C-alpha cells in the first residue's frame, strides 16, 4: 500500500511501496446487491494483526461510503481521494496477533468505458444490462474497500442478489446456496471460495445473459470437474463444443505434459494423450467410454504428472469489452468474446489465439493464482512463465519450427517487433524501478521479452532441470506469494548455476545486448571474439548457441557459450574446413549482433542451415541489404538473384506447408538507421519487389495458387493444417495482385473479389479486403467501403473490417473512411476491440499518420479522443510514437508537434497516465 503522505517522485509507485502489510487478511464476507445503475456492497473484512495498530488503511477508489464499523460498532474514518484510501480509525489499540472485523457498506457504479472494477459489457436485446468486473491490478478497490495488494490472499464467501432475468450470476468458488427468489423480481445465490486463497486482483463478479455449454472433464484416476462456456445467446452449439474440446485438450495437456517428471514420462504421456483423445470420441459415461477410461486409468497408475485443477467448475466467460484478451479469475476466466469460440467470422489469427489463450489462462490457476507474485513488479513472473508454457503447448499442436519462427519474427520485425518497441522512449525494463499505472507493465516486454528470458534460463540449465526448478517454485510457494529472487533461487538449487547476475541484467536493464562478433580460421581452429557493445559496467549474461557447417552442409560442431563478460573469446578446434557459421541458432539469446558474412555465405545459410530460424536470419539480412541498397540509390532494380531466391523459398513452402509462408516473409520495413522511418518509400519499395517477382514468375505463382487445396472445417486439429495452407495461398495472392500487365491484373482482381464473395473462410474474405485497402486502386477501395453493412452484422466481423479500413493506403480515403465510421451508429468507441482495430490501426499506418499533413492533424484528434475514453488503448499508440527517438529529424519534429498539441488539449482531463507518458517522450527529445 502506498504512503498517502508521499511527496513528489519520478514515478507514482516504487518497490518500497509494496512492503509487508500490517495485517494478515484472512477472509471476506461479501454481499453484492446489484442494480442496473449501482451496486450496494456489504463487506466484512476479517484480518489478524501483525503488529500493534490503531488504524487501518483500506484501498477505496470512487466508492460512495455509507457506513464503516469495527467489530459491529460505528467507527471514525477518513477518505483520501487523491490516494484512493479509506483510513479506518479502530475502536482501540490492537496488539499483534489479534483478530478483528471491519464492516463497510458502500456503493459502486458501473461505467461504460473504464474497464476496471465493475463495468457494463455488451448486453443482448431485451435483457437486463450485463455487468462484469476486471480487477487486474487494482480493480477490486473500485467495487469494495479492501487491502488491494497481491499478498492479501484470502478466502471469500460471496452473496449476489440481482435481477431474476439474468441467466447467470457468477463469482469465484463453489455454489453453496443455489439461486432462489427473494421477491420483487430478484434472486440470490451464494458462493464459497475456500480451497484456494485468492489475491484481490483475481476476484470476479458477473451478472449477465448467456448461453451456457458444458463438458465433463475426467482425469485418469476418475477425479472430475465441469467445464463451462458462457457465450452470447444464440451461439452455435457445434462451434461451442469445439471451443470446449479445445479447452479440455488444454487442461489434459497441462496435466500430462508439465510437472517435474515431464521428460521422464514423455513416452507414457504421449501414449496417454492418444488414449484420452480416443476416449473423447465416445459419449461420456457410455460403455465404450468406460472401457477406454479404464484403460486410461491403468496406463496412468503410479506416474507423477503436472497440475490438477482443484475446483468443481472451470468456467470461461465471454467478455466483449476488455483491455486484455483474457483474464484468469480462479474458476471464472474471462476471454474476449470475439476469441472465445470459433465463430463463423473468426479469422485464422483469431483461431490460433483462441487455442493459446485457453491454455494460458488455465495455467494461471497454478502460476499466478496458487503461486502469486509479491507485487505488480512481479507481474512479469506471473506472465512470462505462463506464456512459456503456452508456447510449449503451441509447439505440441503446431510444430516446433512453425512456432519458433513465428516467435522470432514477432521479436525482430522492423518497426513493429518487440526489439524495435523496446527502443521506445517510454519502454521499461522487465522489472522497472517504478511505474505510474499498472497498465504500463502490460506490454510486449512482459509477454515476449520476459518469456525469452525464461527460455534462456531453460537453455542454459537444461530442460529436465528447468521443470524440476519450476516444480520446486510452485510447491514451495503454493497458496502464497513469491519474488523473482524466489523463482531464480529455485532454478539455482536444482541446477547448481549462479543465475543472480543474469537475472539482474535482464530484468533491470533496458533493451538487450548488442554484439559485435569477429572470426578467424587458422590451423583447423575457428576463433570467435564476442564483444558486448552496450553493456556499460555490467555485462549481460546469456546462452549463445553457435553451429559450424562443413562443405557438405552438415553441422561439424555445435557449441553453447555462456556469455558472461564484456568480451568472450571462443576457440572451436579440429575443424577441417568452415563453410559458414550460424550464430545464435534457434534464437538462443534475445540479442542483436553484427557478424560479417559474405553474400555467398548468406545464400548458403538460407539453403543449408539446419535451423529454421537460422535460415530466416540469413534471408532477413539479404532482404535488408537489397532494400537499403535500393533506398540509397546504389541499385535501381531488384537483383535477379534475390528474386530467384525468394521464388525458391516460395516453391519450398508450397511443397511443405509445415512452416506456412513465414520462411519468405518480406518485412514492411528495414532496421537501417536513416531508412527505417521512410514508411511510404518502404511501402512502395515492397510493392516494387513483389511486382518484379510476379512479372518474372506470374504463371508459376498463379499455378501454385491454384494447386493449393484447402478443406472446410474438419475438427480443430485438422484446421491447424488448413491454416498453414491458407497462409501460403493467401500470401501468394498478395504477390499476384502486384502484377502490372492489365489483362493479368484484371484476372487477379476478379479472383480477389470472388474470394471475398464466395470463400467459406473468414480469413480468405478479410485477406481479400486487405488487398483492396492497400491496392491504391479507387475501384477496389470503393468496393471495400461498400461492405460496411456486411461488416456491421456482427462484432467479430466488424473488428476485422475496422482493422482492414485502418490500413487503406490513400490518406484522404483513409481519414474519410475513419471519420465516417466514427459517426456510424454501429460503431462504439467505448468498445476496446473497435478502438484498437480502427484507431490504433490508423496510428500504425505511419506512411499516413506520420508522413502526411492530414494524417498528423488527424492523429492529434485520435489521441485526444482515445485518452478521454481508454488510457490503456492510448498507451499502445504512445508506445509507437515513443520510437521517435530513433527517427529522422523531420519526423521527430512532427511527433513533437503532435504530442505538445495533445498535451495542451488534455490539460484539464483526468488521464494522468497518458499525460505522463507524453511528457516522458518529450523529455527524451529535449
Amino acid at each position: 500500500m502506498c504512503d498517502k503522505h508521499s511527496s513528489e517522485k519520478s514515478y507514482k509507485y516504487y518497490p518500497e511501496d509494496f512492503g509487508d502489510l500490517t495485517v494478515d487478511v484472512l477472509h471476506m464476507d461479501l454481499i453484492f446487491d446489484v442494480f442496473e445503475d449501482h451496486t450496494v456492497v456489504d463487506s466484512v473484512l476479517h484480518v489478524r494483526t501483525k503488529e500493534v495498530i490503531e488504524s487501518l488503511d483500506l484501498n477505496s477508489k470512487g466508492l460512495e461510503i455509507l457506513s464503516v464499523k469495527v467489530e459491529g460498532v460505528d467507527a471514525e474514518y477518513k477518505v483520501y481521494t487523491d490516494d484512493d484510501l479509506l483510513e479506518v480509525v479502530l475502536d482501540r489499540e490492537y496488539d499483534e496477533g489479534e483478530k478483528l472485523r471491519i464492516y463497510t457498506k458502500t456503493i459502486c457504479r458501473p461505467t461504460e468505458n473504464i474497464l476496471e472494477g465493475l463495468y457494463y459489457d455488451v448486453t443482448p436485446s431485451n435483457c437486463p444490462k450485463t455487468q462484469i468486473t476486471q480487477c487486474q491490478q487494482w480493480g477490486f478497490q473500485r467495487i469494495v474497500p479492501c487491502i488491494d495488494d497481491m499478498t492479501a490472499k484470502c478466502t471469500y464467501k460471496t452473496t449476489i442478489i440481482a435481477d431474476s432475468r439474468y441467466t447467470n450470476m457468477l463469482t469465484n468458488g463453489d455454489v453453496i446456496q443455489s439461486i432462489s427468489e427473494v421477491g420483487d423480481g430478484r434472486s440470490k445465490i451464494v458462493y464459497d471460495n475456500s480451497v484456494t486463497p485468492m489475491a484481490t486482483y483475481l476476484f470476479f463478479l458477473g451478472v449477465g445473459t448467456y448461453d451456457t455449454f458444458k463438458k465433463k472433464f475426467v482425469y485418469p484416476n476418475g477425479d472430475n470437474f465441469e467445464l463451462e462456456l458462457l457465450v452470447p445467446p444464440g451461439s452455435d452449439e457445434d462451434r461451442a463444443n469445439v471451443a470446449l474440446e479445445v479447452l479440455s485438450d488444454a487442461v489434459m495437456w497441462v496435466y500430462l505434459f508439465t510437472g517435474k517428471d515431464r521428460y521422464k514420462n514423455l513416452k507414457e504421456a504421449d501414449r496417454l494423450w492418444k488414449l484420452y483423445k480416443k476416449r473423447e470420441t465416445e459419449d461420456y459415461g457410455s460403455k465404450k467410454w468406460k472401457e477406454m477410461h479404464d484403460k486410461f486409468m491403468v496406463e496412468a497408475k503410479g506416474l507423477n504428472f503436472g497440475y490438477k485443477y482443484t475446483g468443481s467448475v472451470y468456467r470461461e466467460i465471454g467478455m466483449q469489452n476488455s483491455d486484455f484478451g483474457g483474464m484468469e479469475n480462479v474458476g471464472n476466466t474471462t476471454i474476449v468474446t470475439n476469441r472465445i469460440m470459433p465463430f463463423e467470422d473468426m479469422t485464422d489469427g483469431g483461431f490460433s489465439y483462441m487455442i493459446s489463450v485457453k491454455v494460458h489462462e488455465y495455467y494461471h490457476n497454478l502460476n499466478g493464482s496458487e503461486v502469486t507474485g509479491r507485487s505488480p513488479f512481479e507481474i512479469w513472473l506471473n506472465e512470462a512463465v505462463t506464456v512459456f508454457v503456452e508456447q510449449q503447448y503451441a509447439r505440441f499442436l503446431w510444430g516446433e519450427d512453425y512456432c519458433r519462427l513465428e516467435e522470432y519474427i514477432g521479436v525482430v520485425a522492423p518497426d513493429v517487433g518487440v526489439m524495435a518497441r523496446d527502443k521506445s522512449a517510454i519502454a521499461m525494463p522487465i522489472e522497472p524501478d517504478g511505474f505510474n499505472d499498472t497498465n504500463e507493465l502490460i506490454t510486449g516486454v512482459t509477454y515476449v521479452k520476459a518469456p525469452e528470458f525464461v527460455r534462456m534460463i531453460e537453455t542454459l540449465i537444461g530442460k529436465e532441470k528447468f521443470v524440476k526448478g519450476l516444480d520446486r517454485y510452485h510447491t514451495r510457494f503454493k497458496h502464497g506469494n513469491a519474488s523473482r529472487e524466489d523463482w531464480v533461487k529455485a532454478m539455482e538449487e536444482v541446477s547448481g548455476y549462479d543465475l543472480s547476475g543474469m537475472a539482474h541484467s535482464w530484468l533491470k536493464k533496458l533493451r538487450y545486448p548488442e554484439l559485435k562478433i569477429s572470426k578467424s580460421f587458422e590451423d583447423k581452429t575457428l576463433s570467435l571474439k564476442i564483444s558486448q557493445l552496450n553493456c556499460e559496467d555490467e555485462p549481460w549474461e546469456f546462452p549463445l548457441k553457435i553451429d559450424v557447417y562443413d562443405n557438405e552442409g552438415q553441422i561439424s560442431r555445435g557449441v553453447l557459450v555462456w556469455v558472461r563478460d564484456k568480451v568472450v573469446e571462443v576457440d572451436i578446434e579440429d575443424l577441417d574446413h568452415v563453410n559458414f557459421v550460424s550464430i545464435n541458432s534457434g534464437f538462443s539469446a534475445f540479442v542483436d549482433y553484427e557478424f560479417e558474412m559474405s553474400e555467398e555465405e548468406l545464400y548458403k545459410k538460407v539453403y543449408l542451415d539446419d535451423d529454421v530460424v537460422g535460415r530466416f536470419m540469413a534471408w532477413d539480412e539479404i532482404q535488408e541489404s537489397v532494400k537499403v541498397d535500393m533506398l540509397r540509390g546504389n541499385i535501381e532494380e531488384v537483383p535477379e538473384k534475390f528474386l530467384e531466391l525468394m521464388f525458391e523459398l516460395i516453391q519450398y513452402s508450397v511443397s511443405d506447408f509445415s512452416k506456412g509462408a513465414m520462411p519468405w516473409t518480406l518485412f514492411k520495413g528495414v532496421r537501417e538507421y536513416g531508412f527505417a522511418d521512410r514508411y511510404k518509400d518502404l511501402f512502395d519499395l515492397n510493392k516494387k519487389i513483389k511486382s518484379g517477382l510476379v512479372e518474372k514468375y506470374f504463371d508459376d505463382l498463379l499455378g501454385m495458387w491454384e494447386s493449393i487445396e484447402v478443406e472446410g472445417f474438419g475438427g480443430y486439429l485438422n484446421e491447424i493444417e488448413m491454416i498453414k495452407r491458407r497462409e501460403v495461398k493467401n500470401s501468394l495472392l498478395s504477390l499476384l495482385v502486384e502484377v502490372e500487365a492489365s489483362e493479368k491484373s484484371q484476372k487477379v482482381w476478379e479472383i480477389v473479389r470472388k474470394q471475398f464473395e464466395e470463400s467459406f473462410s473468414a480469413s480468405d474474405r478479410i485477406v481479400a479486403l486487405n488487398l483492396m485497402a492497400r491496392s491504391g486502386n479507387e475501384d477496389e477501395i470503393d468496393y471495400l467501403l461498400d461492405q460496411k453493412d456486411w461488416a456491421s452484422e456482427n462484432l467479430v466481423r466488424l473488428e476485422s473490417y475496422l482493422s482492414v479500413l485502418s490500413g487503406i493506403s490513400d490518406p484522404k480515403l483513409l481519414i474519410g473512411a475513419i471519420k465516417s465510421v466514427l459517426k456510424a451508429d454501429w460503431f462504439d468507441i467505448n468498445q476496446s476491440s473497435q478502438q484498437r482495430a480502427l484507431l490504433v490501426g490508423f496510428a500504425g499506418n505511419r506512411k499516413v499518420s506520420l508522413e502526411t499533413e492530414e494524417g498528423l492533424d488527424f492523429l492529434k484528434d485520435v489521441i485526444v479522443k482515445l485518452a478521454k475514453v481508454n488510457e490503456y488503448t492510448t498507451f499502445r499508440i504512445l508506445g509507437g510514437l515513443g520510437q521517435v527517438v530513433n527517427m529522422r529529424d523531420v519526423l521527430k519534429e512532427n511527433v513533437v508537434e503532435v504530442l505538445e498539441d495533445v498535451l495542451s488539449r488534455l490539460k484539464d482531463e483526468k488521464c494522468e497516465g497518458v499525460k505522463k507518458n507524453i511528457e516522458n517522450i518529450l523529455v527524451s527529445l529535449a
Side-chain angles (χ1 to χ4, degrees):
M1 298 172 67
C2 74
D3 179 2
K4 57 181 174 287
H5 305 298
S6 63
S7 59
E8 188 69 26
K9 302 176 182 179
S10 298
Y11 296 104
K12 188 173 181 179
Y13 302 105
Y14 290 85
E16 57 266 26
D17 293 322
F18 303 90
D20 293 336
L21 303 177
T22 59
V23 298
D24 284 322
V25 183
L26 306 175
H27 179 77
M28 291 190 78
D29 290 303
L30 299 167
I31 301 175
F32 291 92
D33 200 2
V34 182
F35 298 89
E36 287 207 342
D37 63 345
H38 74 283
T39 294
V40 180
V41 185
D42 285 282
S43 167
V44 185
L45 175 66
H46 302 253
V47 302
R48 180 175 51 233
T49 61
K50 298 170 69 175
E51 59 186 59
V52 177
I53 60 172
E54 296 179 340
S55 65
L56 186 63
D57 286 347
L58 303 182
N59 300 104
S60 174
K61 188 167 187 174
L63 301 178
E64 182 180 340
I65 311 297
L66 300 181
S67 68
V68 178
K69 298 181 179 182
V70 176
E71 295 295 336
V73 178
D74 288 344
E76 295 181 17
Y77 63 89
K78 299 176 184 177
V79 177
Y80 297 91
T81 305
D82 290 344
D83 294 300
D84 302 321
L85 287 177
L86 170 66
E87 182 182 26
V88 180
V89 181
L90 302 180
D91 58 327
R92 61 178 175 82
E93 185 179 90
Y94 281 76
D95 293 328
E96 179 183 351
E98 285 196 75
K99 293 182 180 179
L100 71 150
R101 292 166 294 174
I102 308 293
Y103 297 76
T104 60
K105 190 181 192 72
T106 56
I107 292 177
C108 64
R109 301 183 189 279
T111 63
E112 295 280 358
N113 64 295
I114 299 175
L115 308 184
E116 185 181 66
L118 186 66
Y119 64 92
Y120 298 117
D121 200 16
V122 171
T123 300
S125 299
N126 303 315
C127 295
K129 287 186 177 181
T130 299
Q131 300 178 52
I132 60 174
T133 61
Q134 171 63 265
C135 288
Q136 181 172 313
Q137 281 291 314
W138 292 326
F140 195 54
Q141 62 192 267
R142 286 183 179 269
I143 58 176
V144 63
C146 60
I147 299 177
D148 204 357
D149 189 280
M150 292 168 73
T151 62
K153 301 180 77 169
C154 71
T155 56
Y156 296 80
K157 180 182 176 182
T158 306
T159 299
I160 306 172
I161 304 168
D163 194 313
S164 298
R165 291 176 295 165
Y166 285 120
T167 60
N168 300 83
M169 298 158 61
L170 304 167
T171 188
N172 312 88
D174 298 323
V175 175
I176 58 173
Q177 290 184 28
S178 299
I179 290 182
S180 60
E181 296 288 333
V182 294
D184 296 327
R186 296 174 67 73
S187 298
K188 180 176 80 170
I189 189 170
V190 183
Y191 289 81
D192 177 72
N193 186 89
S194 58
V195 176
T196 302
M198 183 176 68
T200 51
Y201 80 93
L202 297 169
F203 185 86
F204 176 78
L205 178 79
V207 292
T209 307
Y210 305 91
D211 279 351
T212 300
F213 299 92
K214 300 181 180 182
K215 177 180 174 62
K216 182 73 73 175
F217 181 87
V218 185
Y219 285 108
N221 69 351
D223 289 349
N224 64 86
F225 61 93
E226 201 79 46
L227 298 174
E228 288 188 4
L229 181 75
L230 274 63
V231 287
S235 293
D236 184 273
E237 183 177 2
D238 290 339
R239 292 178 181 274
N241 286 332
V242 172
L244 285 169
E245 179 190 0
V246 173
L247 175 58
S248 179
D249 284 3
V251 173
M252 185 59 78
W253 181 88
V254 167
Y255 178 66
L256 293 177
F257 291 95
T258 65
K260 65 179 180 180
D261 290 339
R262 174 185 180 181
Y263 295 102
K264 178 182 176 182
N265 293 338
L266 210 50
K267 289 182 180 178
E268 292 84 354
D270 280 331
R271 185 168 65 250
L272 286 166
W273 175 264
K274 292 172 184 174
L275 284 172
Y276 154 74
K277 289 299 290 180
K278 191 172 181 180
R279 185 193 73 179
E280 294 304 287
T281 62
E282 307 296 339
D283 292 335
Y284 170 73
S286 68
K287 182 179 179 181
K288 286 187 177 180
W289 186 95
K290 290 177 180 177
E291 289 173 357
M292 291 303 305
H293 178 71
D294 288 343
K295 187 174 182 181
F296 192 37
M297 181 170 57
V298 170
E299 293 281 346
K301 191 173 182 179
L303 296 173
N304 250 335
F305 292 110
Y307 171 74
K308 277 182 70 177
Y309 184 65
T310 58
S312 60
V313 176
Y314 181 75
R315 187 179 293 112
E316 289 184 339
I317 305 153
M319 54 172 184
Q320 186 60 53
N321 200 11
S322 175
D323 286 331
F324 313 107
M327 176 63 201
E328 74 279 12
N329 292 109
V330 183
N332 292 287
T333 283
T334 49
I335 295 176
V336 66
T337 305
N338 289 359
R339 302 290 186 274
I340 199 170
M341 62 179 277
F343 295 102
E344 181 181 358
D345 287 293
M346 176 181 277
T347 63
D348 292 344
F351 190 91
S352 174
Y353 185 88
M354 177 191 70
I355 295 172
S356 295
V357 75
K358 288 180 185 294
V359 72
H360 178 105
E361 304 304 345
Y362 173 76
Y363 191 74
H364 266 314
N365 283 287
L366 171 63
N367 192 75
S369 300
E370 284 199 3
V371 182
T372 309
R374 287 187 186 275
S375 77
F377 288 94
E378 276 84 19
I379 287 177
W380 77 266
L381 182 54
N382 291 350
E383 296 301 334
V385 172
T386 301
V387 169
F388 180 77
V389 172
E390 169 199 331
Q391 290 172 338
Q392 290 180 317
Y393 183 50
R395 282 160 170 70
F396 181 78
L397 297 179
W398 297 77
E400 170 69 33
D401 283 355
Y402 185 90
C403 291
R404 193 55 179 154
L405 185 51
E406 183 178 46
E407 291 158 9
Y408 177 74
I409 289 172
V411 169
V412 303
D415 191 38
V416 296
V418 174
M419 278 187 164
R421 296 280 180 162
D422 204 16
K423 292 182 177 180
S424 168
I426 55 175
M428 287 183 166
I430 294 173
E431 194 177 284
D433 292 335
F435 62 90
N436 300 300
D437 187 304
T438 52
N439 283 338
E440 295 171 359
L441 306 175
I442 310 299
T443 68
V445 168
T446 302
Y447 286 86
V448 178
K449 184 180 176 182
E452 288 296 330
F453 163 69
V454 172
R455 185 179 305 282
M456 286 187 284
I457 294 290
E458 185 206 44
T459 298
L460 189 62
I461 70 175
K463 294 178 183 294
E464 291 83 0
K465 290 179 180 177
F466 179 85
V467 293
K468 286 179 168 54
L470 197 55
D471 177 75
R472 180 169 298 193
Y473 167 74
H474 287 142
T475 302
R476 180 175 292 166
F477 296 99
K478 186 175 182 179
H479 293 171
N481 297 84
S483 67
R484 59 109 156 184
E485 288 85 0
D486 295 324
W487 187 82
V488 171
K489 184 178 180 182
M491 294 298 167
E492 290 178 327
E493 288 173 352
V494 299
S495 68
Y497 282 75
D498 179 359
L499 302 171
S500 58
M502 179 174 174
H504 185 266
S505 60
W506 280 100
L507 299 177
K508 300 302 295 183
K509 294 174 69 171
L510 280 167
R511 302 191 179 182
Y512 45 84
E514 296 175 5
L515 314 177
K516 184 176 180 61
I517 303 174
S518 59
K519 72 177 187 293
S520 62
F521 183 60
E522 293 181 8
D523 298 326
K524 301 179 71 173
T525 298
L526 175 66
S527 297
L528 298 170
K529 183 179 180 180
I530 304 166
S531 302
Q532 298 192 37
L533 303 179
N534 63 334
C535 66
E536 300 171 352
D537 296 330
E538 180 188 22
W540 300 82
E541 297 186 26
F542 51 88
L544 189 68
K545 187 178 179 184
I546 301 169
D547 291 323
V548 183
Y549 284 77
D550 62 22
N551 287 345
E552 282 71 48
Q554 302 296 317
I555 298 176
S556 56
R557 192 71 54 81
V559 297
L560 183 67
V561 181
W562 186 7
V563 178
R564 306 184 71 182
D565 299 311
K566 186 173 182 178
V567 177
V568 174
E569 295 184 356
V570 179
D571 289 333
I572 304 175
E573 301 175 335
D574 297 324
L575 298 171
D576 291 328
H577 44 253
V578 175
N579 195 357
F580 65 89
V581 181
S582 185
I583 303 291
N584 204 20
S585 299
F587 197 49
S588 59
F590 191 92
V591 302
D592 191 15
Y593 64 89
E594 298 175 22
F595 180 63
E596 188 174 338
M597 295 184 75
S598 67
E599 184 181 83
E600 181 184 1
E601 288 176 308
L602 287 171
Y603 274 79
K604 286 180 182 177
K605 197 172 189 304
V606 172
Y607 289 118
L608 300 176
D609 199 313
D610 192 50
D611 168 47
V612 65
V613 174
R615 293 195 294 274
F616 187 85
M617 287 177 178
W619 162 245
D620 181 19
E621 193 164 338
I622 291 169
Q623 66 167 295
E624 171 92 1
S625 176
V626 168
K627 288 178 181 178
V628 171
D629 272 349
M630 294 183 73
L631 289 167
R632 282 183 174 144
N634 295 341
I635 55 176
E636 292 186 6
E637 299 301 325
V638 186
E640 289 291 316
K641 188 175 183 180
F642 176 79
L643 295 178
E644 290 167 2
L645 174 62
M646 187 171 179
F647 181 69
E648 289 185 57
L649 292 174
I650 293 170
Q651 283 182 306
Y652 177 75
S653 72
V654 173
S655 66
D656 178 6
F657 296 107
S658 64
K659 303 168 191 64
M662 288 185 290
W664 47 282
T665 297
L666 194 65
F667 283 137
K668 295 178 181 178
V670 295
R671 285 176 287 278
E672 182 78 12
Y673 182 79
F675 299 98
D677 56 0
R678 289 170 56 176
Y679 305 111
K680 179 61 166 60
D681 290 343
L682 285 163
F683 178 80
D684 293 339
L685 177 57
N686 269 0
K687 288 178 72 72
K688 185 172 183 177
I689 291 172
K690 292 178 181 180
S691 177
L693 183 76
V694 75
E695 290 295 337
K696 184 177 177 66
Y697 297 107
F698 179 82
D699 290 338
D700 297 291
L701 294 170
L702 182 60
M704 291 180 197
W705 181 86
E706 292 172 336
S707 72
I708 299 173
E709 296 182 359
V710 183
E711 303 168 1
F713 189 82
Y716 91 91
L717 294 175
N718 183 66
E719 186 68 3
I720 289 172
E721 171 64 21
M722 294 305 106
I723 286 173
K724 293 177 180 180
R725 287 172 172 262
R726 246 188 323 267
E727 182 182 307
V728 175
K729 189 164 189 174
N730 281 321
S731 295
L732 284 168
L733 189 57
S734 74
L735 296 176
L736 290 167
V737 295
E738 301 300 341
V739 68
E740 294 181 356
S742 58
E743 290 184 6
K744 293 177 180 178
S745 179
Q746 182 179 352
K747 180 178 181 180
V748 173
W749 283 110
E750 286 173 357
I751 290 172
V752 172
R753 290 202 183 191
K754 185 177 180 181
Q755 176 163 305
F756 170 71
E757 293 166 356
E758 299 182 9
S759 178
F760 60 80
S761 163
S763 275
D764 283 353
R765 295 193 292 271
I766 295 303
V767 164
L769 294 180
N770 260 312
L771 294 177
M772 295 175 192
R774 288 154 178 77
S775 67
N777 184 322
E778 280 198 48
D779 288 342
E780 301 304 329
I781 294 176
D782 286 344
Y783 182 89
L784 161 66
L785 297 176
D786 285 342
Q787 307 310 316
K788 57 182 180 298
D789 291 338
W790 166 84
S792 60
E793 287 178 7
N794 66 67
L795 294 174
V796 181
R797 187 185 292 171
L798 178 60
E799 181 183 355
S800 296
Y801 181 72
L802 294 174
S803 182
V804 170
L805 290 184
S806 72
I808 291 175
S809 301
D810 183 277
K812 291 182 180 179
L813 292 174
L814 170 60
I815 295 170
I818 294 177
K819 287 182 176 179
S820 176
V821 169
L822 291 174
K823 295 176 183 177
D825 56 6
W826 43 261
F827 179 80
D828 185 355
I829 196 169
N830 291 315
Q831 290 290 312
S832 57
S833 62
Q834 296 180 33
Q835 300 162 7
R836 290 192 295 263
L838 185 68
L839 301 180
V840 177
F842 161 76
N845 190 348
R846 294 182 174 182
K847 63 184 178 297
V848 176
S849 64
L850 293 186
E851 288 192 310
T852 68
E853 186 175 342
E854 56 264 57
L856 287 162
D857 286 340
F858 190 58
L859 181 61
K860 299 173 189 176
D861 296 337
V862 164
I863 298 173
V864 170
K865 185 181 289 288
L866 269 182
K868 296 175 183 178
V869 175
N870 188 309
E871 287 199 79
Y872 183 62
T873 302
T874 314
F875 291 159
R876 293 182 177 225
I877 293 178
L878 296 179
L881 294 181
Q883 293 173 267
V884 66
V885 293
N886 303 307
M887 295 178 182
R888 58 202 149 108
D889 289 343
V890 64
L891 285 193
K892 287 181 183 179
E893 292 169 5
N894 288 346
V895 171
V896 167
E897 196 272 329
V898 166
L899 294 179
E900 287 179 341
D901 181 83
V902 168
L903 199 58
S904 67
R905 290 163 65 181
L906 292 176
K907 182 179 180 181
D908 298 323
E909 300 293 335
K910 292 183 178 180
C911 48
E912 301 309 314
V914 168
K915 289 189 279 190
K916 186 65 176 177
N917 272 273
I918 292 174
E919 289 168 358
N920 288 342
I921 295 173
L922 293 174
V923 167
S924 72
L925 297 172

